[in-house]
Every structure is written in C-alpha cells, then in structure tokens.
Amino acid sequence: MSPARTTAGAPISSIGRAIAVLGCFNERRRALTLSEISKKSLLPMSSTHRVVAELVTGGFLVRGSDRKYRIGTRMWSIGQLAPVSDQLRHRALPTLARLYEETGENITLAVLDRGQALYVDRLGGERSVHTGARAGGHLPLHTTGVGKVLLAWQTPAAIEKYLGRPLERTTPYSIVDPVKLKKELDETRERGYALTRQESTAGNGSVAVPILRGGRAVAALGVVAHLTHLDIPRLVEVLQAASESIRHELENDH
Amino acid sequence: MSPARTTAGAPISSIGRAIAVLGCFNERRRALTLSEISKKSLLPMSSTHRVVAELVTGGFLVRGSDRKYRIGTRMWSIGQLAPVSDQLRHRALPTLARLYEETGENITLAVLDRGQALYVDRLGGERSVHTGARAGGHLPLHTTGVGKVLLAWQTPAAIEKYLGRPLERTTPYSIVDPVKLKKELDETRERGYALTRQESTAGNGSVAVPILRGGRAVAALGVVAHLTHLDIPRLVEVLQAASESIRHELENDH
DNA sequence: AACGGAGGTTCCAATGAGCGGAACACTACT
DNA sequence: AGTAGTGTTCCGCTCATTGGAACCTCCGTT
C-alpha cells in the first residue's frame, strides 16, 4: 500500500503531482527549497525530489545559485499563450501607462476569474506602496477596489451567490458581513466607483472604476495608494477618463 | 515492451509527456484539437487523451466551445511568477508605452535567452503591422533587429560561437552567411543601432538599439514597421532617447 | 438511409515506471 | 564531536500508466 495514494482519498497522478508542486509557488513564495516544496505539496522528500528534477529538465523550474527553485522561463513563455483577456490587455496598456505617469501610484487592471479578482496587469513598483496585487495573482472580490467593482456590476444572481459564501477577512477593516457588503455594492453602483480603506492591506486605500460593456463590468481599473496619498476626487476623475478611453479602444475595429 | 519508450531512445516520464504536450502550443498554434496534439507530441491518441485530461483537471489546459484546447489561465498565472527580467520589464514599461504612443508601431523589448531573442514585452497590435514577435516568443538572433543588437554587444567569443552554428533562413533576405553576418554585426556596433529589411518577415523592417550595462547589451529595444513607414532617422532618435531613459531607470535605487 | 472517415472516448490486460522508506551525504550551528 | 536540517541515492514492490482495440458521435457524401 502506498500511503500518498490513500491519504487524500483521490489517488493523485504523476502529472497531478507535478501541478501540485508548481502550485506551491505563489506571489509570497516565488523561491522555495526542496523541503519547503515537500512540506507544501505533502509529498515525501524522495518523491518531491524526483518530480522537481523532472520539472527542471523540462524547463518548468530552475534552480538558482541559492539552491532554491523558481518557476522557469519556459513556463512563463508557454503561459503567455493563454488567452487571458488578450484584446483588453493590449488595448488598455498605453492607457495604464499614462495613468501611472500621471499618478505615480499602483495601477491595476483586473477581470473576474473563478470568483476572484484576477490581476491581468499591474504597473508601478518601487515608486509606490507595496500591495497584495500582482499580475497573475488572485485576490478576493470583497476586499479590493477592483473586486468590489467587478462584483457590483454582475447580475443580481451572481452577486447573491457570492454573498452566500463565507467572506474571508484579511484586515480588521475587511467587510465580511454579507448585509453590509450588499449595501456597499449598491452604493458603489450608485456612485459609479468603489473605494477601499485598509480592507485589503493595512495602510492602503484604493479607488476603482468599471470598464462597462452592456451594463456589465468586463474589467476593473484601479489605483492603490497609501491612505495619505489618496486624493479621491482627482483619482476618480482620471480613472473615469481612462475607463472611457479603454472602452472606446475596445469598441474600435472589433 | 511499450513502444513509446523504445522509439525515441530515451524513455519519457509521465511528467515529460505532459510538458511535451504543453510544448505543442506556440504562437502559431494557440488552439489545438486532440488529434493535432497527438500528432505533434508523437503520443498515441489514448495516451494523449489521458494526459490532456489531467492537464485540464489541473487548469493548465482548457477546452473551448470549439472543442479545441488552449493554455489555461492557471498556467499563465503561475508562469507570471517566473523571474523574467522583472526589474527591466517594470522599469521599461512606461517608456515602451510612450514609444508606442509616439510611433504607433510595434515596440519590442527582448533579452538573450538560450541563444535566441526572447521577447519579454511587446506593444502595439492592430494599429501596426503583423510581426512574428510575441511576448513570450523566441526568434533567431540573426534575422531580427533586437537579435542583431543582442548579439553584437556580446563577448567576441559568444559571437563566434553563434556564427559557428547553422543560420536558419526565414525570408529570402535573411543573412545566413556567417561572414556577412559578422560584418553586419560590426557595422551595427559601430553605428550604435541595428536595421533589418524583410530579414524576418516579408514587407517589414525594423530598427533596434541596445540597453547597455558595462559594455554589454542586457536587453534590446526595437520598432518593427512596414518598410514604407520606416522613418529610420526619427526612430533611431526616439529609440536612443528611450534606451537612455530605461538605463537611468535601471540605475536608480538599485 | 446507408456509407465512410475523422475525431474523440472508453476499456482492459500487461508491465515497468513511479513509488517511498531507509540509508547516506553534506553543511551549519553548537 | 554532536545534532538538526537539507538534499541525494538506492532499491524492491506494486499499482498507475500504457497503448491497442473497440466503440461512439458527428459530419458530409452517395
């Protein structure tokens, strides 16, 4: 009897293990030692060692001079072929860059993916604050500006469905009460943009606007900044202009 | 005896097969049917079916309504964690966007990766011409502007090594004679930028400049456009300014 | 309606690739 | 020298993986 196959109930295939290993990496832990991978993936060391070695051979992992493993260029390269709102990203990028120049703060572009906000692009690293958002990363809908926007402009049914699930708390300011969140979403829809104050990360606030098509948000555009920098009226203005501009780009020749 | 393990000499592990399947996808073929994958990967249909099914379960592949398979969001998401010139890309993006606004043409940023030009960013889709370049894609060093730049500013030894290998031809204008290419590289270094005329794709030309650090090109910045649009003096000027600007960005606070 | 072909899926017996425990290295800190 | 943490190799058992074959489901054609 082989323990690993009996522990979790469902037997895990070799490929499933490889994916599990790759899944250990995330925005917080981009470099892992073998033991860390072993712990996170719940695989025995020797199995981890073998799987990891094969992934390195395939170029999906690389081992740095610090002996830690990282996601390899090959994985990035193939990943780029995924259809992740390609149109949107291409059309929006120049506008995002302009926003970044104007504000000097983190600019984020997110879409709805599997009940979370998927950040498809993010501009502005060192000049601005550190946020949880990363291109390729997922964050909850109810704690982020772009998330609240994406949720507010969904169908009522989809909103209800989201409210029915447990709402995770990430800071003391997170809105985790379904009733309060529903009210917040209504207000967001009314005023046309969303605000957060330390609901996702301490010290930060955000403003976000939807990119609308047929009454639904196909994406959300946001600015994250330190609370003390947050000039809301100005940001709302530039964001709404940018959103309009992207909407036009999307409508042109397509 | 299992044929698949004896055909190619080296036995291929389950994980290796999965990687081979994912490797079937490329810029030309972003959506594949099961049979196409089977043919390309040289795996029997039933094996392909199983491997693909597991990759779908893991979110590394998705099946569209056209029944074709595509790279999944999960793969993109994890791939984003790969350290692909992160600093460079973040710092350069606003400058790339400005270049795009100014020229309206394809702007590319590439680095050297495994003896090829790896496009780490590309701006400007529909407004401009169609090129072979794609963020995440690899192209030969000797047929592209950014490639010639990356090669020209390597060590003499690295250049000789490259010249020793067979040079692939992609258009009738490609330079595939090592002697001519060496001369071309010398000229490139002298004048400070590279030019191509239909050497990569028919009808297109390009201008490219290096982003230098310590006498070596850490990256190359290029513009690809239809030959008739190619205002070389102007492009050289804006590219060199942009290169300078990115070089400064890279030097600041790091 | 019958045919044919291509694409896709399921089945199943055989088997060897993957499995993980154990023993072994290597380093670092004490 | 001792201990703890990390990484690597070995090896016999076994079950997941394998691929041929049968089957299914759409097509367009006859």
Side-chain angles (χ1 to χ4, degrees):
Chain A
M1 185 173 74
S2 96
R5 302 175 189 285
T6 54
T7 345
I12 303 165
S13 71
S14 205
I15 293 174
R17 288 168 179 230
I19 294 179
V21 164
L22 292 170
C24 293
F25 295 83
N26 60 45
E27 31 262 76
R28 285 292 145 101
R29 317 190 139 263
R30 297 178 64 180
L32 295 171
T33 66
L34 191 61
S35 340
E36 286 170 333
I37 298 174
S38 171
K39 266 168 215 141
K40 280 212 158 202
S41 65
L42 306 176
L43 295 176
M45 270 293 273
S46 54
S47 300
T48 309
H49 186 263
R50 194 167 5 88
V51 172
V52 164
E54 283 178 292
L55 288 171
V56 169
T57 303
F60 274 36
L61 284 181
V62 284
R63 189 168 207 184
S65 50
D66 54 0
R67 301 184 52 118
K68 289 190 175 184
Y69 294 94
R70 274 160 245 266
I71 299 296
T73 304
R74 180 106 189 274
M75 177 103 188
W76 177 78
S77 212
I78 298 178
Q80 290 295 107
L81 298 169
V84 183
S85 317
D86 289 345
Q87 280 290 319
L88 173 69
R89 292 174 63 215
H90 264 103
R91 309 280 174 126
L93 233 172
T95 304
L96 299 185
R98 210 179 313 127
L99 267 179
Y100 174 55
E101 300 267 281
E102 277 174 34
T103 62
E105 301 292 352
N106 277 284
I107 310 296
T108 58
L109 181 67
V111 298
L112 197 61
D113 179 63
R114 298 194 240 163
Q116 291 195 291
L118 171 63
Y119 287 79
V120 295
D121 263 315
R122 206 209 86 188
L123 268 81
E126 339 299 321
R127 271 204 247 170
S128 183
V129 294
H130 181 76
T131 78
R134 241 191 59 80
H138 287 87
L139 285 179
L141 293 178
H142 60 285
T143 64
T144 56
V146 285
K148 288 198 279 191
V149 160
L150 288 170
L151 189 52
W153 276 273
Q154 290 310 309
T155 61
I159 296 176
E160 283 307 321
K161 197 179 158 200
Y162 189 85
L163 292 172
R165 287 183 293 189
L167 302 173
E168 189 196 352
R169 171 186 295 288
T170 58
T171 75
Y173 300 92
S174 304
I175 303 174
V176 294
D177 174 355
V179 178
K180 281 186 189 160
L181 182 56
K182 191 176 164 65
K183 202 176 152 224
E184 172 79 10
L185 293 174
D186 290 340
E187 285 172 15
T188 299
R189 219 176 301 109
E190 247 172 73
R191 72 163 99 85
Y193 57 90
L195 296 172
T196 64
R197 288 171 190 276
Q198 312 201 69
E199 293 161 35
S200 181
T201 45
N204 288 339
S206 71
V207 185
V209 300
I211 297 171
L212 295 170
R213 281 206 123 182
R216 299 272 160 263
V218 294
L221 192 57
V223 174
V224 185
H226 195 272
L227 263 184
T228 55
H229 286 201
L230 209 65
D231 178 356
I232 296 173
R234 176 160 169 267
L235 291 178
V236 168
E237 195 182 323
V238 291
L239 279 175
Q240 283 180 336
S243 168
E244 261 312 292
S245 147
I246 293 171
R247 208 168 60 78
H248 277 116
E249 278 288 331
L250 289 174
E251 273 168 12
N252 288 350
D253 50 30
H254 232 305
Chain B
M1 183 173 77
S2 98
R5 303 175 188 287
T6 54
T7 347
I12 304 165
S13 72
S14 203
I15 293 173
R17 286 168 180 233
I19 294 179
V21 163
L22 292 169
C24 292
F25 294 82
N26 60 45
E27 31 262 75
R28 285 292 145 99
R29 319 192 138 263
R30 298 177 64 181
L32 295 171
T33 65
L34 190 62
S35 337
E36 286 170 334
I37 297 174
S38 172
K39 267 169 213 140
K40 279 212 160 204
S41 65
L42 305 176
L43 295 176
M45 269 292 273
S46 55
S47 300
T48 310
H49 185 264
R50 193 169 3 90
V51 172
V52 163
E54 283 176 293
L55 288 171
V56 169
T57 303
F60 274 37
L61 285 181
V62 284
R63 190 166 204 184
S65 50
D66 55 0
R67 300 181 53 107
K68 289 190 175 184
Y69 294 94
R70 273 161 248 267
I71 300 296
T73 305
R74 180 110 188 272
M75 177 100 187
W76 177 77
S77 213
I78 299 178
Q80 290 295 109
L81 299 168
V84 183
S85 316
D86 289 346
Q87 281 290 319
L88 173 68
R89 292 174 65 215
H90 264 104
R91 308 280 173 126
L93 233 172
T95 305
L96 299 185
R98 209 179 314 126
L99 267 179
Y100 174 55
E101 300 267 282
E102 278 174 34
T103 62
E105 302 291 351
N106 277 284
I107 309 298
T108 59
L109 181 68
V111 299
L112 198 59
D113 179 63
R114 297 193 241 162
Q116 292 194 289
L118 171 63
Y119 288 78
V120 296
D121 264 314
R122 207 208 86 188
L123 268 82
E126 335 301 323
R127 271 206 247 170
S128 183
V129 294
H130 181 76
T131 80
R134 242 190 59 81
H138 287 86
L139 285 179
L141 293 177
H142 60 284
T143 66
T144 57
V146 285
K148 287 199 279 191
V149 160
L150 289 170
L151 189 52
W153 276 274
Q154 290 311 307
T155 62
I159 296 175
E160 284 306 322
K161 196 179 159 202
Y162 189 86
L163 292 172
R165 286 183 293 188
L167 302 174
E168 189 196 351
R169 170 187 294 290
T170 58
T171 75
Y173 299 93
S174 303
I175 302 173
V176 294
D177 175 355
V179 178
K180 283 187 188 159
L181 182 57
K182 190 176 165 67
K183 204 177 150 220
E184 172 80 11
L185 294 174
D186 290 340
E187 286 172 15
T188 299
R189 218 177 301 108
E190 249 172 72
R191 71 163 99 84
Y193 57 91
L195 295 173
T196 63
R197 288 170 190 276
Q198 312 202 69
E199 292 160 37
S200 183
T201 44
N204 289 339
S206 72
V207 184
V209 301
I211 297 172
L212 295 170
R213 282 206 123 182
R216 299 272 161 261
V218 294
L221 192 57
V223 174
V224 185
H226 195 272
L227 264 184
T228 54
H229 286 200
L230 209 65
D231 178 354
I232 297 173
R234 177 162 169 264
L235 291 178
V236 168
E237 196 181 322
V238 291
L239 279 175
Q240 284 181 335
S243 168
E244 260 314 289
S245 149
I246 293 171
R247 207 169 59 77
H248 276 116
E249 278 287 332
L250 289 174
E251 273 167 13
N252 287 351
D253 51 28
H254 233 304

